[in-house]
Amino acid sequence: MSIAQNNLLSTTAMREDLQFIREQLFKVHANPFSQLAKEKYKAYFDSLETGLNQPLSITKFQQKASLALIPLGDEHAAISIRNANAQKRTPAWADSIATNISYRRLGNTGYIFARSFATRGSQDLLIYERCIDSIFAVIRRDKVTRLAIDVSINDGGASAVGDMIIKHIFPKPYTDYSMSWKRSEAYLAKLTSWGFSDETYQKALPGEILHFPSRAVAPGKVSNPFEGKVIVIIGPETFSSAIMFATLVQDNNMALLAGESPVNGHPTHFGEMYSTLLPNTQLELRFGVKEWIRPAGRDKMNKLVPDIPCKLPVNRDPIMLVKQLRW
């Protein structure tokens, strides 16, 4: 089917792609009706389809199609023009591991600036682990009595990096996230194409939700555990796995959180990204097939609220930041 004349998309092509989005969300997304009941979501899609009554540019259609994702409550979900955001989707700090987790001493306080947990793959986790181990060796040598861990501008990456930090500050078993995973033929095909095999997932029926309860995590022993007082600093830009790290800290009473609530992310959220192309416009649709539920459970407000609210310095000056914290 030809979808463009004079760079405009036909109403038929756009409506078919919107119907494809509906089918993908309803069948593959982890929990598409967490914010809006199924019948109301259907009616919402119908209203969007009715509004596609004239040819549009691909950019205008992208904007209208993206409205279909709002009721998901999935902060990672997106509809994008292929290749337009390719560089943006590459973790901005993935090639700068040595500076992603940095440390300095501020009097009797140690200050870890975790600007990102970004990786280029599992091979980077070993580099992170060596970096974090060496930081805590320096912290022990410095004999600081307090430690501030700053994830206020951290937009996430690999949650395993946050776990590496936790085992240096909290030696006791702690409660992890629970998880729900939607079984779908589309995601099974993705897993197969990637060479992954999960027998439990394969045996489940399409549409079935697999529930994985939270478990007790016993942190591994480390050479230089920190035994002083810890505070974790969050901010409006804290996102994704950085929120998971801060949530684990708060829900397990490992340390207090200070700063400001994240704007776009939530403790309970969707992850493990699935992507596919819309058949006519070839726009890329992305969303999560897993729902991660915070250790405190669904009954707790789905917002990360600092225990010590404070306005963060505009320039994030660490000396000013640590001075204004009362802990």
Side-chain angles (χ1 to χ4, degrees), residues 59-145:
T59 301
K60 288 291 185 183
F61 174 66
Q62 176 201 4
Q63 292 169 354
K64 286 186 174 289
S66 295
L67 296 176
L69 307 181
I70 293 175
L72 284 178
D74 182 346
E75 55 254 35
H76 292 90
I79 295 175
S80 57
I81 298 173
R82 289 184 74 191
N83 301 322
N85 294 322
Q87 253 187 329
K88 186 177 180 181
R89 286 202 308 271
T90 302
W93 310 113
D95 58 349
S96 308
I97 294 170
T99 54
N100 281 349
I101 310 288
S102 59
Y103 165 78
R104 63 186 290 188
R105 180 180 178 179
L106 303 171
N108 68 343
T109 301
Y111 173 77
I112 292 177
F113 180 42
R115 71 173 183 177
S116 177
F117 293 157
T119 67
R120 294 161 298 187
S122 59
Q123 71 275 8
D124 285 343
L125 294 178
L126 290 175
I127 303 174
Y128 270 111
E129 191 158 32
R130 287 197 295 269
C131 179
I132 291 168
D133 285 346
S134 65
I135 282 174
F136 278 90
V138 174
I139 289 173
R140 168 159 286 196
R141 185 193 67 197
D142 285 348
K143 297 180 180 179
V144 294
T145 57

Coordinates of all heavy atoms in Angstrom, one line a residue, residues 59-145:
T59 N 5.3 13.2 11.1 CA 5.6 13.9 12.4 C 4.3 14.1 13.1 O 4.1 13.9 14.3 CB 6.4 15.1 12.2 OG1 7.6 14.9 11.6 CG2 6.7 15.8 13.6
K60 N 3.3 14.7 12.4 CA 2.0 15.0 13.0 C 1.3 13.7 13.4 O 0.6 13.6 14.5 CB 1.1 15.7 12.0 CG 1.5 17.2 11.8 CD 1.3 18.0 13.0 CE 1.6 19.5 12.7 NZ 1.5 20.3 14.0
F61 N 1.4 12.6 12.6 CA 0.8 11.4 13.0 C 1.5 10.8 14.2 O 0.8 10.2 15.1 CB 0.8 10.4 11.8 CG 0.3 9.0 12.2 CD1 -1.0 8.8 12.6 CD2 1.2 7.9 12.3 CE1 -1.4 7.5 13.0 CE2 0.8 6.7 12.7 CZ -0.6 6.5 13.0
Q62 N 2.8 10.9 14.2 CA 3.5 10.4 15.4 C 3.0 11.1 16.7 O 2.8 10.4 17.7 CB 5.0 10.7 15.2 CG 5.9 10.3 16.4 CD 7.2 11.0 16.5 OE1 7.5 11.9 15.7 NE2 8.0 10.7 17.5
Q63 N 2.8 12.4 16.6 CA 2.3 13.1 17.8 C 0.9 12.6 18.2 O 0.6 12.4 19.4 CB 2.3 14.6 17.5 CG 3.6 15.2 17.3 CD 3.6 16.6 16.7 OE1 2.5 17.1 16.4 NE2 4.7 17.3 16.7
K64 N 0.0 12.4 17.2 CA -1.3 11.9 17.5 C -1.3 10.5 18.0 O -2.0 10.1 19.0 CB -2.2 12.0 16.3 CG -2.6 13.5 16.0 CD -3.7 13.6 14.9 CE -4.1 15.0 14.7 NZ -5.0 15.4 15.8
A65 N -0.5 9.6 17.4 CA -0.4 8.2 17.8 C 0.2 8.1 19.2 O -0.2 7.2 20.0 CB 0.4 7.4 16.8
S66 N 1.1 9.0 19.6 CA 1.7 8.9 20.9 C 0.7 9.2 22.0 O 0.9 8.7 23.1 CB 2.8 10.0 21.0 OG 3.9 9.6 20.1
L67 N -0.4 9.8 21.7 CA -1.5 10.1 22.7 C -2.1 8.7 23.1 O -2.6 8.6 24.2 CB -2.6 10.9 22.1 CG -2.2 12.4 21.7 CD1 -3.4 13.1 21.0 CD2 -1.8 13.2 22.9
A68 N -2.0 7.7 22.3 CA -2.5 6.4 22.6 C -1.8 5.8 23.8 O -2.3 4.9 24.4 CB -2.5 5.5 21.4
L69 N -0.6 6.2 24.1 CA 0.2 5.6 25.1 C 0.0 6.3 26.5 O 0.4 5.7 27.5 CB 1.7 5.8 24.8 CG 2.2 5.3 23.4 CD1 3.7 5.5 23.3 CD2 1.8 3.8 23.2
I70 N -0.7 7.4 26.5 CA -0.8 8.1 27.8 C -1.5 7.3 28.9 O -1.0 7.2 30.0 CB -1.6 9.5 27.6 CG1 -0.7 10.4 26.8 CG2 -1.9 10.1 28.9 CD1 -1.4 11.7 26.4
P71 N -2.6 6.6 28.6 CA -3.3 5.8 29.6 C -2.5 4.6 30.2 O -2.9 4.0 31.2 CB -4.6 5.4 28.9 CG -4.8 6.3 27.8 CD -3.4 6.6 27.3
L72 N -1.4 4.3 29.5 CA -0.6 3.2 30.0 C 0.0 3.4 31.4 O 0.2 2.5 32.2 CB 0.5 2.8 29.0 CG 0.1 2.1 27.7 CD1 1.4 1.9 26.9 CD2 -0.5 0.7 28.0
G73 N 0.4 4.7 31.6 CA 1.2 5.0 32.7 C 2.6 4.4 32.7 O 3.2 4.1 33.7
D74 N 3.1 4.2 31.4 CA 4.4 3.5 31.2 C 5.4 4.6 30.8 O 5.3 5.0 29.6 CB 4.2 2.4 30.1 CG 5.5 1.7 29.9 OD1 6.6 2.1 30.3 OD2 5.4 0.6 29.2
E75 N 6.2 5.1 31.7 CA 7.1 6.2 31.3 C 8.2 5.8 30.3 O 8.8 6.7 29.7 CB 7.8 6.7 32.6 CG 8.6 5.7 33.4 CD 7.8 5.3 34.7 OE1 6.6 5.2 34.7 OE2 8.5 5.0 35.7
H76 N 8.4 4.5 30.0 CA 9.3 4.2 29.0 C 8.7 4.0 27.6 O 9.4 3.9 26.6 CB 10.0 2.8 29.3 CG 10.9 2.9 30.5 ND1 10.5 2.7 31.8 CD2 12.2 3.2 30.6 CE1 11.5 2.8 32.6 NE2 12.6 3.1 32.0
A77 N 7.4 4.0 27.5 CA 6.7 3.8 26.3 C 6.9 5.0 25.3 O 6.9 6.1 25.8 CB 5.2 3.5 26.5
A78 N 7.0 4.7 24.0 CA 7.3 5.8 23.1 C 6.9 5.3 21.7 O 7.0 4.1 21.4 CB 8.7 6.2 23.1
I79 N 6.6 6.2 20.8 CA 6.4 6.0 19.4 C 7.4 7.0 18.7 O 7.3 8.2 18.9 CB 5.0 6.2 18.9 CG1 4.1 5.2 19.5 CG2 4.9 6.1 17.4 CD1 2.6 5.4 19.2
S80 N 8.3 6.5 18.0 CA 9.4 7.4 17.4 C 9.6 7.1 15.9 O 9.3 6.0 15.4 CB 10.7 7.2 18.2 OG 11.1 5.9 18.2
I81 N 10.1 8.1 15.2 CA 10.5 7.9 13.9 C 11.9 7.1 13.9 O 12.8 7.5 14.6 CB 10.7 9.3 13.2 CG1 9.4 10.0 13.2 CG2 11.2 9.1 11.8 CD1 9.4 11.4 12.7
R82 N 11.9 6.1 13.1 CA 13.1 5.2 13.1 C 14.4 6.0 12.8 O 14.4 6.9 11.9 CB 13.0 4.1 12.1 CG 12.0 3.1 12.4 CD 12.0 2.0 11.4 NE 13.2 1.1 11.5 CZ 13.5 0.2 10.6 NH1 12.8 0.1 9.5 NH2 14.6 -0.6 10.8
N83 N 15.4 5.7 13.6 CA 16.7 6.3 13.4 C 16.8 7.8 14.0 O 17.9 8.3 14.3 CB 17.3 6.3 12.0 CG 17.4 4.9 11.4 OD1 17.7 4.0 12.2 ND2 17.0 4.7 10.2
A84 N 15.7 8.4 14.1 CA 15.7 9.8 14.5 C 16.2 9.9 15.9 O 16.9 10.9 16.3 CB 14.3 10.4 14.4
N85 N 15.9 8.9 16.8 CA 16.3 8.9 18.2 C 17.4 7.9 18.5 O 17.6 7.6 19.6 CB 15.1 8.7 19.1 CG 14.2 9.9 19.0 OD1 14.6 11.0 18.9 ND2 12.9 9.6 19.0
A86 N 18.0 7.4 17.4 CA 19.0 6.3 17.6 C 20.1 6.7 18.6 O 20.5 5.9 19.4 CB 19.5 5.8 16.3
Q87 N 20.6 7.9 18.3 CA 21.7 8.3 19.2 C 21.2 8.6 20.6 O 21.9 8.3 21.6 CB 22.4 9.6 18.6 CG 23.7 9.3 18.1 CD 24.4 10.5 17.6 OE1 23.8 11.5 17.2 NE2 25.7 10.5 17.7
K88 N 20.0 9.1 20.7 CA 19.5 9.5 22.0 C 19.2 8.2 22.8 O 19.4 8.2 24.0 CB 18.1 10.2 21.8 CG 17.6 10.7 23.2 CD 16.3 11.5 22.9 CE 15.7 12.0 24.2 NZ 14.5 12.8 24.0
R89 N 18.8 7.1 22.2 CA 18.5 5.9 22.9 C 19.8 5.2 23.4 O 19.8 4.4 24.3 CB 17.7 4.9 22.0 CG 16.3 5.3 21.9 CD 15.5 4.1 21.5 NE 16.0 3.4 20.3 CZ 15.7 3.7 19.1 NH1 14.9 4.7 18.8 NH2 16.2 3.0 18.1
T90 N 21.0 5.5 22.7 CA 22.2 5.0 23.2 C 22.6 5.7 24.5 O 22.6 6.9 24.6 CB 23.3 5.2 22.2 OG1 23.0 4.6 21.0 CG2 24.7 4.7 22.7
P91 N 22.8 4.9 25.6 CA 23.0 5.6 26.9 C 24.1 6.6 26.8 O 25.2 6.4 26.3 CB 23.5 4.4 27.8 CG 22.8 3.2 27.2 CD 22.8 3.5 25.7
A92 N 23.8 7.8 27.2 CA 24.7 9.0 27.0 C 26.0 8.8 27.7 O 27.0 9.3 27.2 CB 24.0 10.3 27.5
W93 N 26.0 8.0 28.8 CA 27.3 7.9 29.5 C 27.8 6.4 29.4 O 28.7 6.1 30.2 CB 27.0 8.2 31.0 CG 26.3 9.5 31.2 CD1 25.1 9.7 31.8 CD2 26.8 10.8 31.0 NE1 24.8 11.0 31.8 CE2 25.8 11.7 31.3 CE3 28.0 11.3 30.4 CZ2 26.0 13.1 31.2 CZ3 28.1 12.7 30.3 CH2 27.1 13.6 30.7
A94 N 27.4 5.7 28.5 CA 27.8 4.3 28.4 C 29.3 4.1 28.2 O 29.8 3.1 28.5 CB 27.0 3.5 27.3
D95 N 29.9 5.1 27.6 CA 31.4 4.9 27.3 C 32.2 5.6 28.3 O 33.4 5.9 28.1 CB 31.7 5.4 25.9 CG 31.3 6.9 25.7 OD1 30.6 7.4 26.6 OD2 31.7 7.5 24.7
S96 N 31.6 6.0 29.5 CA 32.4 6.8 30.5 C 32.2 6.2 31.9 O 31.9 6.9 32.8 CB 31.8 8.2 30.5 OG 31.8 8.8 29.2
I97 N 32.4 4.9 32.0 CA 32.1 4.2 33.2 C 32.9 4.7 34.4 O 32.4 4.9 35.5 CB 32.3 2.7 33.0 CG1 31.3 2.1 32.1 CG2 32.3 1.9 34.4 CD1 31.6 0.7 31.6
A98 N 34.2 5.0 34.1 CA 35.1 5.5 35.2 C 34.6 6.8 35.8 O 34.8 7.0 37.0 CB 36.5 5.7 34.6
T99 N 33.8 7.6 35.1 CA 33.3 8.8 35.7 C 31.8 8.8 36.0 O 31.2 9.7 36.5 CB 33.6 10.0 34.7 OG1 33.1 9.7 33.4 CG2 35.0 10.3 34.6
N100 N 31.2 7.7 35.6 CA 29.8 7.5 36.0 C 29.6 7.4 37.5 O 28.6 7.8 38.1 CB 29.2 6.3 35.3 CG 28.8 6.6 33.8 OD1 28.8 7.7 33.4 ND2 28.5 5.5 33.1
I101 N 30.5 6.7 38.1 CA 30.5 6.6 39.6 C 31.8 7.2 40.1 O 32.9 6.6 40.0 CB 30.4 5.1 40.0 CG1 29.3 4.4 39.3 CG2 30.3 4.9 41.5 CD1 27.9 4.7 39.7
S102 N 31.7 8.4 40.7 CA 32.9 9.0 41.2 C 32.8 9.3 42.7 O 31.7 9.3 43.2 CB 33.2 10.3 40.4 OG 32.1 11.2 40.5
Y103 N 33.9 9.6 43.3 CA 34.0 9.8 44.7 C 34.9 11.0 45.1 O 35.9 11.2 44.4 CB 34.4 8.6 45.4 CG 34.8 8.8 46.9 CD1 33.9 8.9 47.9 CD2 36.2 8.9 47.3 CE1 34.2 9.1 49.2 CE2 36.5 9.1 48.6 CZ 35.6 9.2 49.6 OH 35.9 9.5 50.9
R104 N 34.5 11.7 46.1 CA 35.4 12.7 46.7 C 35.1 12.8 48.2 O 34.0 12.5 48.7 CB 35.3 14.1 46.0 CG 33.9 14.7 46.2 CD 33.8 16.0 45.3 NE 34.6 17.1 45.9 CZ 34.5 18.3 45.4 NH1 33.7 18.6 44.4 NH2 35.3 19.3 45.9
R105 N 36.1 13.3 49.0 CA 35.9 13.5 50.4 C 35.6 14.9 50.7 O 36.2 15.8 50.2 CB 37.2 13.0 51.2 CG 37.1 13.2 52.7 CD 38.4 12.8 53.3 NE 38.3 13.0 54.7 CZ 39.3 12.7 55.6 NH1 40.4 12.1 55.1 NH2 39.2 12.9 56.9
L106 N 34.6 15.1 51.5 CA 34.2 16.5 51.9 C 34.2 16.5 53.5 O 33.2 16.2 54.1 CB 32.8 16.8 51.4 CG 32.6 16.7 49.9 CD1 31.1 16.9 49.5 CD2 33.5 17.8 49.2
G107 N 35.3 16.8 54.0 CA 35.5 16.7 55.5 C 35.3 15.3 56.0 O 36.0 14.4 55.5
N108 N 34.3 15.1 57.0 CA 34.1 13.8 57.5 C 33.0 13.0 56.7 O 32.5 12.0 57.1 CB 33.8 13.8 59.0 CG 32.4 14.5 59.2 OD1 31.9 15.2 58.3 ND2 31.9 14.3 60.4
T109 N 32.7 13.6 55.5 CA 31.6 13.0 54.7 C 32.2 12.6 53.4 O 32.9 13.3 52.7 CB 30.5 14.0 54.4 OG1 29.9 14.4 55.7 CG2 29.4 13.4 53.6
G110 N 31.9 11.3 53.0 CA 32.2 10.9 51.7 C 31.1 11.2 50.7 O 29.9 11.1 51.1
Y111 N 31.4 11.5 49.5 CA 30.3 11.9 48.5 C 30.5 11.1 47.2 O 31.5 11.2 46.5 CB 30.4 13.4 48.2 CG 29.5 13.8 47.1 CD1 28.1 14.0 47.3 CD2 30.0 14.1 45.8 CE1 27.3 14.4 46.3 CE2 29.2 14.6 44.8 CZ 27.8 14.7 45.0 OH 27.0 15.2 44.0
I112 N 29.6 10.2 46.9 CA 29.6 9.4 45.7 C 28.6 10.1 44.7 O 27.4 10.2 45.0 CB 29.2 8.0 45.9 CG1 30.3 7.2 46.8 CG2 29.0 7.2 44.6 CD1 29.9 5.8 47.1
F113 N 29.1 10.4 43.6 CA 28.2 11.0 42.5 C 28.0 9.9 41.5 O 28.9 9.6 40.7 CB 28.9 12.2 41.9 CG 28.1 12.9 40.8 CD1 26.7 13.0 40.9 CD2 28.7 13.3 39.6 CE1 26.0 13.6 39.9 CE2 28.0 13.9 38.6 CZ 26.6 14.1 38.7
A114 N 26.8 9.3 41.5 CA 26.4 8.3 40.5 C 25.6 9.0 39.5 O 24.3 9.0 39.6 CB 25.6 7.2 41.2
R115 N 26.2 9.5 38.5 CA 25.5 10.2 37.4 C 24.7 9.3 36.5 O 23.8 9.7 35.8 CB 26.4 11.1 36.6 CG 27.4 10.4 35.7 CD 28.2 11.4 34.8 NE 29.0 10.6 33.9 CZ 29.8 11.2 33.0 NH1 29.8 12.5 32.9 NH2 30.5 10.5 32.1
S116 N 25.1 8.0 36.4 CA 24.5 7.1 35.5 C 24.8 5.7 35.8 O 25.9 5.4 36.4 CB 24.9 7.4 34.0 OG 24.3 6.5 33.1
F117 N 23.9 4.8 35.5 CA 24.2 3.3 35.6 C 24.2 2.7 34.2 O 24.0 1.5 34.0 CB 23.0 2.6 36.3 CG 23.0 3.0 37.8 CD1 21.8 2.8 38.5 CD2 24.1 3.5 38.5 CE1 21.7 3.1 39.9 CE2 24.0 3.8 39.8 CZ 22.8 3.6 40.5
A118 N 24.5 3.6 33.1 CA 24.4 3.1 31.7 C 25.5 2.1 31.4 O 26.6 2.2 31.9 CB 24.6 4.3 30.8
T119 N 25.2 1.2 30.6 CA 26.1 0.2 30.1 C 25.9 0.0 28.6 O 24.9 0.3 28.0 CB 25.9 -1.2 30.8 OG1 24.6 -1.7 30.3 CG2 25.9 -1.1 32.3
R120 N 27.0 -0.6 28.0 CA 26.9 -1.0 26.6 C 26.6 -2.5 26.5 O 26.5 -3.0 25.4 CB 28.2 -0.7 25.9 CG 28.5 0.8 25.8 CD 30.0 1.1 25.5 NE 30.8 0.6 26.6 CZ 32.1 0.8 26.7 NH1 32.7 1.5 25.8 NH2 32.8 0.3 27.7
G121 N 26.5 -3.2 27.6 CA 26.3 -4.6 27.6 C 26.8 -5.2 28.9 O 27.4 -4.5 29.8
S122 N 26.5 -6.5 29.1 CA 26.9 -7.1 30.4 C 28.4 -7.0 30.7 O 28.8 -7.1 31.9 CB 26.4 -8.6 30.4 OG 27.0 -9.3 29.3
Q123 N 29.2 -6.9 29.7 CA 30.7 -6.8 29.9 C 31.1 -5.6 30.7 O 32.1 -5.6 31.4 CB 31.4 -6.8 28.5 CG 31.3 -5.5 27.7 CD 30.1 -5.5 26.9 OE1 29.2 -6.3 27.0 NE2 30.0 -4.5 26.0
D124 N 30.2 -4.6 30.7 CA 30.6 -3.3 31.4 C 30.3 -3.5 32.9 O 30.8 -2.7 33.7 CB 29.7 -2.2 30.9 CG 30.3 -1.6 29.6 OD1 31.4 -1.9 29.2 OD2 29.5 -0.9 28.9
L125 N 29.5 -4.5 33.3 CA 29.2 -4.7 34.7 C 30.5 -5.0 35.5 O 30.6 -4.6 36.7 CB 28.2 -5.8 34.9 CG 26.8 -5.4 34.3 CD1 25.8 -6.6 34.5 CD2 26.2 -4.2 35.0
L126 N 31.4 -5.8 34.9 CA 32.6 -6.1 35.6 C 33.5 -4.8 35.9 O 34.1 -4.7 36.9 CB 33.5 -7.1 34.8 CG 32.9 -8.5 34.7 CD1 33.7 -9.3 33.8 CD2 32.9 -9.1 36.1
I127 N 33.4 -3.9 34.9 CA 34.2 -2.6 35.1 C 33.5 -1.8 36.2 O 34.2 -1.2 37.1 CB 34.2 -1.8 33.8 CG1 34.8 -2.7 32.7 CG2 34.9 -0.5 33.9 CD1 34.7 -2.0 31.3
Y128 N 32.2 -1.8 36.2 CA 31.5 -1.1 37.3 C 31.8 -1.7 38.7 O 32.1 -0.9 39.6 CB 30.0 -1.1 37.1 CG 29.4 0.0 36.3 CD1 28.9 -0.3 35.0 CD2 29.3 1.3 36.8 CE1 28.3 0.8 34.3 CE2 28.7 2.3 36.1 CZ 28.2 2.0 34.8 OH 27.7 3.1 34.1
E129 N 31.8 -3.0 38.7 CA 32.1 -3.6 40.0 C 33.5 -3.3 40.5 O 33.7 -3.0 41.7 CB 32.0 -5.1 39.9 CG 32.0 -5.9 41.2 CD 31.3 -7.2 41.1 OE1 31.4 -7.9 40.1 OE2 30.7 -7.6 42.1
R130 N 34.5 -3.3 39.6 CA 35.9 -2.9 40.0 C 35.9 -1.5 40.5 O 36.6 -1.1 41.4 CB 36.8 -3.2 38.9 CG 37.1 -4.7 38.6 CD 38.4 -4.9 37.8 NE 38.2 -4.3 36.4 CZ 37.8 -5.0 35.4 NH1 37.4 -6.3 35.5 NH2 37.7 -4.4 34.2
C131 N 35.2 -0.6 39.7 CA 35.2 0.8 40.1 C 34.6 1.0 41.4 O 35.1 1.8 42.3 CB 34.4 1.6 39.0 SG 34.3 3.3 39.2
I132 N 33.4 0.4 41.7 CA 32.8 0.6 43.0 C 33.6 0.0 44.1 O 33.7 0.6 45.2 CB 31.3 0.0 42.9 CG1 30.5 0.8 41.9 CG2 30.7 -0.1 44.3 CD1 29.2 0.2 41.6
D133 N 34.2 -1.2 43.9 CA 35.0 -1.8 44.9 C 36.2 -0.8 45.3 O 36.5 -0.7 46.5 CB 35.6 -3.1 44.4 CG 34.6 -4.2 44.5 OD1 33.5 -4.0 45.1 OD2 34.8 -5.3 43.8
S134 N 36.8 -0.2 44.3 CA 37.9 0.6 44.5 C 37.5 1.9 45.3 O 38.2 2.4 46.1 CB 38.6 1.0 43.2 OG 37.8 1.8 42.4
I135 N 36.3 2.4 45.0 CA 35.8 3.6 45.6 C 35.6 3.3 47.1 O 36.0 4.1 48.0 CB 34.5 4.1 45.0 CG1 34.7 4.8 43.7 CG2 33.7 5.0 46.0 CD1 33.5 5.2 42.9
F136 N 35.0 2.2 47.5 CA 34.8 1.9 48.9 C 36.1 1.5 49.6 O 36.2 1.7 50.8 CB 33.8 0.8 49.0 CG 32.3 1.3 48.9 CD1 31.7 1.4 47.7 CD2 31.7 1.7 50.0 CE1 30.4 1.9 47.6 CE2 30.4 2.3 50.0 CZ 29.8 2.3 48.7
A137 N 37.1 1.1 48.9 CA 38.4 1.0 49.5 C 39.0 2.3 49.9 O 39.6 2.5 51.0 CB 39.4 0.2 48.5
V138 N 38.8 3.3 49.0 CA 39.3 4.7 49.3 C 38.4 5.3 50.5 O 39.0 5.9 51.4 CB 39.2 5.6 48.1 CG1 39.5 7.0 48.4 CG2 40.1 5.1 47.0
I139 N 37.1 5.0 50.5 CA 36.3 5.5 51.6 C 36.8 4.9 52.9 O 36.8 5.7 53.9 CB 34.8 5.1 51.3 CG1 34.2 5.9 50.1 CG2 33.9 5.3 52.6 CD1 32.9 5.4 49.7
R140 N 37.1 3.7 53.0 CA 37.6 3.1 54.2 C 38.9 3.8 54.6 O 39.2 4.1 55.8 CB 37.8 1.6 54.1 CG 38.6 1.0 55.2 CD 38.4 -0.5 55.4 NE 37.1 -0.8 56.0 CZ 36.7 -1.9 56.5 NH1 37.6 -2.9 56.5 NH2 35.5 -2.1 57.0
R141 N 39.8 4.0 53.6 CA 41.1 4.6 53.9 C 40.9 6.1 54.4 O 41.6 6.5 55.3 CB 41.9 4.7 52.6 CG 43.3 5.2 52.8 CD 44.0 5.5 51.5 NE 43.3 6.7 50.8 CZ 43.4 6.9 49.5 NH1 44.2 6.2 48.8 NH2 42.8 8.0 49.0
D142 N 39.9 6.8 53.9 CA 39.6 8.1 54.3 C 38.9 8.2 55.7 O 38.9 9.3 56.3 CB 38.6 8.8 53.3 CG 39.3 9.2 52.0 OD1 40.6 9.2 52.0 OD2 38.6 9.6 51.1
K143 N 38.4 7.1 56.2 CA 37.8 7.0 57.5 C 36.7 8.0 57.7 O 36.5 8.6 58.8 CB 38.8 7.2 58.6 CG 39.9 6.1 58.6 CD 40.9 6.3 59.7 CE 42.0 5.2 59.7 NZ 43.0 5.4 60.7
V144 N 35.9 8.2 56.7 CA 34.7 9.1 56.8 C 33.6 8.4 57.6 O 33.5 7.2 57.6 CB 34.2 9.6 55.4 CG1 35.2 10.4 54.7 CG2 33.8 8.4 54.6
T145 N 32.8 9.2 58.3 CA 31.8 8.6 59.1 C 30.4 8.7 58.5 O 29.5 8.1 59.0 CB 31.7 9.3 60.5 OG1 31.5 10.7 60.3 CG2 33.1 9.1 61.3

